[in-house]
Amino acid sequence: MTDSKSTNLLLVLCYLTIPALWGASQVILIPYVVHLLVLVTAILYIACHWSLILREEPTVDADGNSTSASSAGETLRKEDAMQFPIMGSLSLFSLYLAFRFLDKDMVNLIIGGYFALVGTMALTATIAPALSILIPLGFIKKKLHWATQINHPLPAFLGGESPWELEIEFSMAEGLAFIKSAVFCYFYVTTKSWPLNNVLGICFCIQGIERFSLGTYKIGAILLVGLFFYDIFWVFGTDVMVTVAKNLDGPIKILFPRSLTPNPDTGKIDLSLLGLGDIVIPGFFLALLLRFDAHKNDVSTKSPINVHASFPKPYFHSCLIAYILGLITTLYVMIAFNAAQPALLYLVPACLGSSLLCAVVRGEMKELFDYSEEEEEEEETEKKDTAAKKDD
């Protein structure tokens, strides 16, 4: 049974925790281990609960078009999961070569421009819902629409049919959020301030986890195991990961101050970091387990999805606790040996082990492995149609 009108107090607490930590950490020295653990836990709790919108059933509008909040989401395929470590390695090594043989400032300028664009979109998507609550209802519903056609000389096989049709529709809340986000990203690019970096990093984490589905538990396990070996190789086997993390001046990491006064040798505040991948990748898996919990408890999939719905969450809670313990282990080993650690070395066994143990204890191993969020493959349909035509 679920309570559709309930309020998840932990979720509300996490909403309050993130801005409180962000503001307090700039004037009060918070032990960076505590700062890291509390902030990451809050990010994961919010993002995973917002990912429940991926369960939303499509609705039909007045024009007969089928729409749903989940239509904006992406689902990982098995082939993509298997190739992910390879593609990640190519991207990582390309960045390493760029920093090794090209001007560091130029590389960061190009990457900074890219992150400014992507960050504007992520920040817009994050703050637009909040603005829609604050702005008067009549003003919110007002939609702005812009459309145009652009003729192009390219062949159809390259540019498609001419003219290109461009169409943009957005609400007033989304428009205001975009303007605020663009101004924010301008200040980030020009100042490279660590608090602004963290805002973008947090938005990337929440938006990524909220909109991305691993599809099945098996695909999630394949992805985690592949990145387990990826992380170990690039951290322990080479200096590539550490070099890129230290030289890449972009919101690909969350930064935690270790002092409030600049280091006299460097003139900068000493910072510790946690890569976004160590939050987002396990976050995908945690979100899948939360949706499995919702599926097991027959939580409504009708629009709009209530992310505050109350229902038992044994898989999500056990995996979240295991993730936190894995992160604590990572920090302990890093501090004890004074050396960078591949966080996924500890987080992957924690996430996989806790979820499998929970399934064994509850006698639900088959249900966990059978659970799927994948859409029907078009290729299978085409094969069946082809076979049917041959039979005719």
Side-chain angles (χ1 to χ4, degrees):
M1 295 294 291
T2 65
D3 182 2
S4 60
K5 297 182 179 180
S6 64
T7 298
N8 187 333
L9 295 180
L10 277 177
L11 188 55
V12 174
L13 179 62
C14 289
Y15 289 148
L16 299 174
T17 297
I18 291 179
L21 271 178
W22 183 83
S25 62
Q26 297 176 56
V27 294
I28 302 172
L29 182 57
I30 303 172
Y32 80 93
V33 172
V34 175
H35 188 180
L36 186 153
L37 292 173
V38 174
L39 181 61
V40 171
T41 301
I43 292 171
L44 287 173
Y45 199 86
I46 291 172
C48 290
H49 280 79
W50 274 100
S51 79
L52 290 172
I53 64 172
L54 294 176
R55 303 183 66 247
E56 185 176 294
E57 292 179 353
T59 56
V60 180
D61 59 21
D63 298 325
N65 298 318
S66 178
T67 60
S68 73
S70 62
S71 61
E74 296 288 339
T75 302
L76 189 70
R77 298 181 305 164
K78 180 180 178 181
E79 295 78 10
D80 297 329
M82 296 176 71
Q83 295 172 5
F84 201 94
I86 298 174
M87 301 305 296
S89 295
L90 291 174
S91 300
L92 181 67
F93 193 63
S94 297
L95 284 172
Y96 175 78
L97 293 177
F99 282 119
R100 187 79 180 270
F101 299 106
L102 301 177
D103 181 66
K104 175 184 172 181
D105 293 334
M106 179 58 66
V107 174
N108 274 316
L109 179 63
I110 296 172
I111 295 175
Y114 168 77
F115 277 119
L117 177 61
V118 177
T120 298
M121 307 313 296
L123 193 55
T124 299
T126 303
I127 66 176
L131 286 179
S132 66
I133 296 174
L134 299 174
I135 298 173
L137 186 61
F139 194 62
I140 297 172
K141 291 184 176 179
K142 187 175 181 180
K143 292 277 187 177
L144 299 178
H145 181 267
W146 177 81
T148 188
Q149 293 183 337
I150 300 176
N151 293 312
H152 68 84
L154 298 175
F157 70 90
L158 285 179
E161 297 295 331
S162 181
W164 290 328
E165 295 185 359
L166 301 179
E167 186 175 1
I168 300 175
E169 184 177 73
F170 56 91
S171 68
M172 294 301 295
E174 291 169 338
L176 289 174
F178 178 82
I179 294 172
K180 292 177 180 290
S181 300
V183 172
F184 179 94
C185 288
Y186 168 78
F187 281 107
Y188 165 73
V189 171
T190 55
T191 65
K192 297 296 183 180
S193 166
W194 72 263
L196 302 187
N197 171 92
N198 284 3
V199 171
L200 291 178
I202 290 168
C203 290
F204 286 149
C205 290
I206 292 176
Q207 291 301 316
I209 295 170
E210 173 187 336
R211 298 170 183 271
F212 193 84
S213 168
L214 292 177
T216 69
Y217 184 88
K218 296 175 184 177
I219 292 176
I222 291 172
L223 179 66
L224 288 181
V225 170
L227 291 177
F228 171 82
F229 291 106
Y230 159 92
D231 216 20
I232 293 174
F233 173 76
W234 289 114
V235 174
F236 285 154
T238 71
D239 67 338
V240 172
M241 181 80 78
V242 175
T243 300
V244 171
K246 288 182 177 180
N247 286 280
L248 182 54
D249 195 4
I252 61 166
K253 52 204 173 190
I254 304 291
L255 301 171
F256 305 92
R258 303 183 69 163
S259 69
L260 295 179
T261 55
N263 187 315
D265 295 329
T266 63
K268 298 180 180 180
I269 292 176
D270 291 330
L271 299 165
S272 291
L273 64 89
L274 181 66
L276 298 192
D278 298 328
I279 304 172
V280 173
I281 299 300
F284 293 151
F285 192 74
L286 277 162
L288 178 74
L289 293 177
L290 179 61
R291 295 193 296 273
F292 176 66
D293 283 327
H295 168 76
K296 286 283 298 173
N297 290 278
D298 296 321
V299 176
S300 174
T301 57
K302 293 182 180 180
S303 178
I305 292 292
N306 178 21
V307 299
H308 288 273
S310 175
F311 57 92
K313 305 167 186 175
Y315 288 92
F316 173 71
H317 285 150
S318 60
C319 191
L320 180 60
I321 292 171
Y323 173 89
I324 295 170
L325 293 176
L327 203 52
I328 292 173
T329 304
T330 305
L331 294 170
Y332 173 78
V333 175
M334 181 184 70
I335 295 171
F337 291 92
N338 193 28
Q341 294 294 311
L344 293 181
L345 171 63
Y346 308 96
L347 299 178
V348 169
C351 292
L352 289 177
S354 62
S355 57
L356 290 174
L357 179 61
C358 186
V360 170
V361 172
R362 295 173 62 85
E364 297 171 346
M365 185 72 77
K366 185 178 185 303
E367 292 179 71
L368 179 62
F369 276 80
D370 288 345
Y371 176 68
S372 175
E373 298 174 344
E374 291 182 297
E375 297 179 357
E376 294 184 5
E377 294 289 342
E378 294 181 359
E379 294 179 359
E380 293 182 3
T381 304
E382 292 176 359
K383 287 180 181 178
K384 290 180 181 179
D385 293 340
T386 303
K389 289 179 181 178
K390 288 182 179 180
D391 292 338
D392 294 337

